[in-house]
Amino acid sequence: MVTALSGDQPPVVMSHKDLNFIHVRQGGLYWVASTKTDASPFTIIEFLNRLAALTKDYCGSLCEKSVRMNFALIYELLDEMVDYGYIQTTSTDILKNFIQTEAVTSKPFSLFDLSNVGLFGAETQQSKVAPSAAATRPIMSHRSEQGGKNEIFVDVVERISVVIGSNGVLMKADVEGEIRVKCYLPTCSEMRIGLNEEFSIGKSQLRGYGMAVRVDECSFHQAVKLDEFDTYRILKVCPSQGEQTLMQYQLSDELPCAPPFRLFPTVEKDYGNRLLIFLKLRCDLPPKSTALNVSVTVPVPKSSLSLSQELSSPDQTADLQLKNKAILWSIPRFPGGAQLSALFKVEVPGLSSASLLEVGPVSMSFELPKHTCTGLQIRFLRLSPTHPGLSQRWVRYVTHSDSYTIRI
């Protein structure tokens, strides 16, 4: 049924011969449950998401290879989680008392192997941003020869959606963010995370004396205690081993800072059937910041045949994707405050004025390590009881492009 559908994303719930199939996609894999009864699809979707998260916690990574290598472990997990079709538990704290199978890891983690990208550890090529290879190890690895450390990772991950008009005016800006914790501590009675004192929810309440850090909406994991949040902006939680999303937030229709990239395009007709596209791209991040894995996609006329280019630095690449009829300009590293340019010469048989209208809009994807668009920062991360020298704490900030569109 999935392969017969023409669309890229099949429906989450499908029925066939009195059987209901519910699925989610994570890590390039389909996670599917089947039922004959009219069970709540939302309950099953939540269970499948939790199963995927537990598989990632116990196997260290989420991909087809890790599932193949850890078949016995995943079977044991399912055996404890579901009994005769009834969900028993998805709690890491309960499951760790019963799971005996060791995870099999394929090879040592490499920062330059980005084939298995997860929220923690391997999303960039900079070791400064990925503080420890341990962020992708299984939570039970302390039993094995790997000798897992007592570590806790806190990630502030934001996704930005932007539309910039042809006149350079910001038309739409949305930011969705979350605070994620991955815990490798065997015991931790309480963790305290202090956010900006100026952090405010909604427009009505502004706090503190510094630059206001505002979000429109905010939600918390059920285990987070909020008794000190209103006064001191402190989150308290007793973290379980594995990965948890403690807080999710959203900011709509405005950005507290300038958009990270500004594009200055020129499109004109050259002699014969040649189309000239000149792009000047400026990175408006602070000088000490760097954008990674920047790609710029420029749709071109459908009859385009070939491309020649002049790029401003040798580490950049560009090619014409004939299938998608678009130019892909890739920039592995883009320092803040810098400006790069590219001249593309496209051969378009039968080039006309109407063909020029087929160019654009430009879309971008990128990654901004050590940067948040909302300005959200973690003031402190405290564990109790404290074990000096035994536990390591890592805090990381990263912003991804969800959708970044610039009209020409």
Side-chain angles (χ1 to χ4, degrees), residues 42-325:
F42 293 106
T43 303
I44 298 173
I45 290 167
E46 179 65 28
F47 171 76
L48 290 173
N49 284 325
R50 188 70 189 131
L51 172 62
L54 282 166
T55 304
K56 183 179 178 184
D57 287 342
Y58 277 88
C59 298
S61 60
L62 207 57
C63 63
E64 184 179 350
K65 188 174 184 180
S66 67
V67 170
R68 287 179 188 274
M69 295 176 68
N70 291 285
F71 182 87
L73 171 59
I74 296 170
Y75 192 95
E76 189 177 1
L77 268 173
L78 274 171
D79 206 30
E80 298 294 345
M81 293 169 70
V82 182
D83 195 16
Y84 292 99
Y86 292 93
I87 300 169
Q88 302 300 308
T89 183
T90 59
S91 165
T92 310
D93 293 331
I94 294 173
L95 287 169
K96 70 180 181 184
N97 298 318
F98 303 104
I99 303 300
Q100 303 299 322
T101 307
E102 280 287 340
V104 180
T105 52
S106 56
K107 59 182 176 180
F109 172 77
S110 169
L111 283 167
F112 298 98
D113 178 14
L114 301 183
S115 59
N116 178 31
V117 174
L119 268 173
F120 293 89
E123 282 190 335
T124 70
Q125 296 174 357
Q126 274 193 317
S127 56
K128 289 181 186 174
V129 183
S132 174
T136 55
R137 73 174 194 263
I139 58 173
M140 305 291 279
S141 63
H142 61 274
R143 288 188 200 164
S144 67
E145 296 173 2
Q146 298 176 38
K149 299 176 184 175
N150 290 337
E151 291 180 297
I152 192 159
F153 299 83
V154 178
D155 263 24
V156 181
V157 182
E158 292 188 352
R159 292 173 180 81
I160 179 174
S161 300
V162 163
V163 177
I164 299 174
S166 55
N167 56 358
V169 175
L170 186 66
M171 301 177 67
K172 177 195 172 198
D174 293 322
V175 180
E176 291 184 357
E178 57 191 19
I179 297 177
R180 289 199 155 202
V181 171
K182 188 154 190 179
C183 179
Y184 290 102
L185 304 175
T187 57
C188 177
S189 58
E190 188 176 75
M191 176 175 69
R192 292 158 61 88
I193 301 176
L195 307 181
N196 312 55
E197 291 181 344
E198 303 85 11
F199 182 78
S200 60
I201 303 169
K203 295 181 180 179
S204 58
Q205 180 190 27
L206 292 177
R207 303 164 50 91
Y209 300 99
M211 279 288 291
V213 177
R214 188 184 69 79
V215 298
D216 292 328
E217 296 176 11
C218 196
S219 62
F220 302 93
H221 189 278
Q222 60 191 21
V224 176
K225 300 172 188 171
L226 299 173
D227 51 308
E228 293 186 41
F229 181 73
D230 287 340
T231 309
Y232 303 109
R233 293 309 191 221
I234 294 174
L235 305 176
K236 296 196 296 185
V237 67
C238 299
S240 303
Q241 282 189 317
E243 192 173 311
Q244 289 176 302
T245 300
L246 297 187
M247 171 176 154
Q248 294 176 305
Y249 55 92
Q250 185 173 349
L251 176 65
S252 301
D253 298 330
E254 67 175 272
L255 281 178
C257 56
F261 293 99
R262 183 80 186 270
L263 182 70
F264 303 92
T266 304
V267 181
E268 59 187 36
K269 185 179 177 183
D270 200 11
Y271 62 87
N273 290 322
R274 180 179 287 180
L275 176 67
L276 293 183
I277 302 174
F278 181 68
L279 301 180
K280 192 162 64 173
L281 185 63
R282 189 178 74 206
C283 181
D284 286 337
L285 293 173
K288 291 185 178 179
S289 299
T290 302
L292 298 177
N293 305 325
V294 180
S295 67
V296 183
T297 304
V298 187
V300 293
K302 292 183 176 62
S303 55
S304 301
L305 287 180
S306 62
L307 169 75
S308 61
Q309 72 259 2
E310 297 175 18
L311 305 175
S312 57
S313 66
D315 60 337
Q316 303 170 39
T317 59
D319 56 22
L320 176 63
Q321 298 179 319
L322 292 173
K323 183 180 178 183
N324 302 323
K325 295 301 180 185

